[in-house]
Structures are given as structure tokens and as C-alpha cells.
Amino acid sequence: MIKNILTNFSARFVVALLNFCMVLLTTHFLGMDSRGEISTIMLSVGIIQLVSDLAGGPSLVYLIPRTSLTKLMFVGMIWSVGTSFITWYVLLLNHVFPVEYGFRICIIGILISFGSLMQNILLGQERVRAYNLLIILQGVVMFGIFTCSIFVFHFTKAHPYIIACYAGYSGTFLVGLYLVIRKHNTVHISDGRSMMYLLFRNGLFTQLASLGLMLVRVINFNLIEADLAKGMTNVGVFSTAFALGEAILLLSTSVSSITLSRVANNEDPDAERQTVLRLGKFSFVLTCLAVLFALLLPVKFYTTLFHDTTGTIKSIFATLCPGILFLSFSSVFSHYFSGSGKHYMNFLSSILCFGFVYFFAERMMLHYGMNGPGYTTSVSYFLLASFIVIAFLVTGRKKGEWKILLPSRADLSFVKNFMNKNSGL
């Protein structure tokens, strides 16, 4: 189990590296204005996928061995098409993405939803190698087509990314469909509850929690574009700084994944509470080191790396750093609640995060300019982290449990023993 998680993380790391290279290609050869457009398109497609995954995403994993695969695929595809169109139309009315790309965003949303459906079916069949293959395939195809679109066909603006999405997501869907059809036998486990009930019950709070965090970015992007001069260029600058923060958070993602697996496969989640507290510290320290290294790099490094003519990426990234640290710490506790089936805790924390940004983002930006969205994001992540950690301590009802969060000599030996045990070494 742990080897599978670490292998999956490695696949995601490779794709994240390719995506980061696409960011560099965008800022150097397409410009920050195009980077801003691509960021809004990525955000829109991500929201479409989240809504589609309410019934066609991770909730499928539980249902694969419990119901007809043909029925699941049929319901999943119908749901994907319907929700993709409705979500796209809502985003279009609210000007979340550039209108000139119109219906193409909807098509991409449908394709990514279909691909996600195939990936989750494979995961539900415990075919982890095939699942990882699709992740890497999508990243490699998108990077290759994106690069060719720029250097061979000389496309401009966001068009290289649009074409890369067509190729990457349709390839994921078609190859995934082939893999699913070729070997579709699964062990059947009886469950008398309605398929639709289980689809929505398992996916609702998880997806809504992710959607709340996604909407935080929507608010920031919209305010930057509407209220600042050269709005789309500034969206590109902010999204680039945000992408750098997401890359650093990959360190805590691996720790959180292990937490999720351990808690989900333990009949007594409370037995893992001390482990969760120590892993939270470990994740925080790892991220601190990465953030410190990034902050020590000179401004010239960022302007050269990202071809940033504004020279503001490092300062914006610095405003996001506290939020990155809070998120790295709290993500372990969020995964604990996911693994123990208390998804509503993550939903409530994301609502708190979204609510702060909704009411204070514009004021912060008017006062601090481009740094405002960064400060707002960091404060919102602090509120999220505070809620989720306090909820963890309160629900445990164990006096003095918080003391484990204090540094101790036992932490280093714990982390060493834990990673050796769970990496299969």
C-alpha cells in the first residue's frame, strides 16, 4: 500500500515538474499576459472537474467492486457532460475565463472529466500501475504538444495550452477506456444502498472542500484583473508566484498521503493520533527549509527564471510563504479527517477560508496592491489551519495531547523509523 502511494507521488512529481517547465516556457516565450489567460483557463477547467467529480471522481473507487461497471461508466459520462456544460456556463456568465476561448473550455472540461472517470475506475480496480501510467501519459503529451505549438507552429497567447489540453486529456480518456475495457473483471462486494446515494455521499464534502479553496483563487484572479492596471499580466505574475508555492507543497503532500493511507486502513484511527501530530511537525519543518531556501535566492534569480519584467514575483511569493507553511502543517490533519471518514471537517475549514477571502480580499488589495491577494491567502490559510488543528485536538478529548507538537529529541528518531518502516526499505 505505502509503496503504491509513494509510486503515485513520484508520478505526480514528474507531472508537476513538466507543468513547472510549461510555466517557464509560457513566461519566456508567450509573456505574462498569456500566463494570466492560461491561469484562468486552468482554474476554470479545475472547477469543472471538481463539480464533475462529485459523482464521477474518487467516490467511484468505493463503488467499483460493488456495482455494475457498465452502469457506473454510463452514469459517470452522462453526469460529466451535463455538469461540465452547466458549470462552464456559470463560469462564462461570471467572466472567470476570457470569453474569446468560449466553448473550447467546456470541451476541455468534458475531456478532463472523462479522463478522471477512467483513472478512478482503474484505481477502484487496484490497478495502480495503469493509474500512474495515465497520470504520466497526460503530463508528457501535454508538455510535448505545448512545446511543439510554440516552437514549431508558433501559436501565441493561450492557444498552445488549449491544444495541449485537447491532446493530453483526450489521450488520457482513450487510453484509459482501452485499459478498462481490456480487463474489467472485479470482485463483487454486496451493498444494498442506492448507487446514486453512495456516489454523492462519498464525494460531496470532499469536492466541496476543494471547490472552496479553488474559489479563493477565482476571487483573487478576478480582483487583480478588474482593479489593477495590466490586469491579465498581473494575474500571470500572481499565478506564477502561486505555482512556485504549490511546487514547494509537494513535499508535504507525500507526508499527507501516508497519513491518509494509515488512518483509512486502521480500524482504530485514534491509535494514529500521535503519529499524525508528529508528522504534522515533520511536514512543517520540511516546508520551512524549502521556503527559507527560496527566500534566500536573489530577486534577479526570479526575474531571470520567469522572465519577470515587473520584478515582483519574489515579493508576492514572500506574502504567500506564511500560508504555505500553515497549509503544510494542517494538510496532515486534513488527511487524518479524510481517512477517518470525517470529510465535513475539511469542508467547514474551506468555507471559513473562502469566507475571509470573499469579505476582505478587495480591501486588502486596495491597501497593499499586488501583495494584497498574497496576504489575504496567507491569512485565510491560517484560519483554515487553526480550525482543522483545533478540531483535531478537541475531537480527541485527550488532555495534554497538544504537547506532542512541541519539539523534542524523540522527533528525529520517530521520523527516521517511520519513513524506513513505511517506504519498504
Side-chain angles (χ1 to χ4, degrees), residues 76-239:
M77 288 184 178
I78 295 297
W79 172 264
S80 294
V81 173
T83 54
S84 294
F85 180 79
I86 293 171
T87 308
W88 165 80
Y89 189 67
V90 172
L91 295 175
L92 180 65
L93 292 178
N94 287 277
H95 309 289
V96 176
F97 59 84
V99 179
E100 65 180 285
Y101 299 108
F103 198 65
R104 283 173 284 186
I105 306 300
C106 183
I107 298 298
I108 293 173
I110 293 173
L111 289 174
I112 194 174
S113 299
F114 281 0
S116 177
L117 178 67
M118 296 304 119
Q119 286 177 317
N120 283 292
I121 289 175
L122 290 172
L123 197 59
Q125 295 174 331
E126 298 186 292
R127 297 167 64 187
V128 179
R129 289 181 61 184
Y131 175 78
N132 291 334
L133 172 66
L134 289 187
I135 292 176
I136 295 176
L137 173 68
Q138 178 178 300
V140 170
V141 170
M142 287 188 66
F143 179 76
I145 297 298
F146 185 80
T147 305
C148 289
S149 297
I150 294 175
F151 296 111
V152 178
F153 299 103
H154 306 292
F155 288 119
T156 58
K157 301 185 72 175
H159 296 295
Y161 183 73
I162 295 285
I163 297 169
C165 286
Y166 283 153
Y169 297 143
S170 61
T172 300
F173 167 58
L174 293 175
V175 174
L177 181 63
Y178 168 75
L179 292 173
V180 168
I181 292 175
R182 189 183 67 170
K183 183 181 177 182
H184 64 273
N185 294 327
T186 56
V187 177
H188 183 73
I189 302 174
S190 61
D191 194 323
R193 292 172 291 181
S194 163
M195 181 184 74
M196 295 304 295
Y197 166 78
L198 291 170
L199 274 174
F200 286 99
R201 178 187 177 277
N202 291 340
L204 183 61
F205 284 119
T206 300
Q207 299 307 107
L208 288 179
S210 299
L211 184 60
L213 296 179
M214 193 82 74
L215 291 177
V216 168
R217 239 183 292 182
V218 171
I219 293 173
N220 284 328
F221 283 8
N222 284 351
L223 287 175
I224 292 171
E225 183 182 2
D227 295 351
L228 296 178
K230 297 182 179 179
M232 193 55 74
T233 298
N234 286 323
V235 169
V237 172
F238 180 79
S239 67

Side-chain angles (χ1 to χ4, degrees), residues 10 61 71 74 92 97 134 143 158 192 203 222 243-244 256 260 264 284 294 308 334 341 370-371 391:
S10 300
V61 176
K71 185 187 294 185
F74 177 76
L92 180 65
F97 59 84
L134 289 187
F143 179 76
N222 284 351
L244 182 58
S256 300
L260 175 62
F284 181 79
D308 174 27
S334 297
M370 274 292 288
N371 288 336

Side-chain angles (χ1 to χ4, degrees), residues 336-362:
Y336 167 84
F337 284 122
S338 294
S340 57
K342 298 176 181 177
H343 302 283
Y344 59 88
M345 287 294 190
N346 297 326
F347 168 67
L348 292 174
S349 66
S350 72
I351 290 298
L352 181 64
C353 179
F354 170 76
F356 177 83
V357 173
Y358 181 81
F359 287 108
F360 292 99
E362 188 167 14

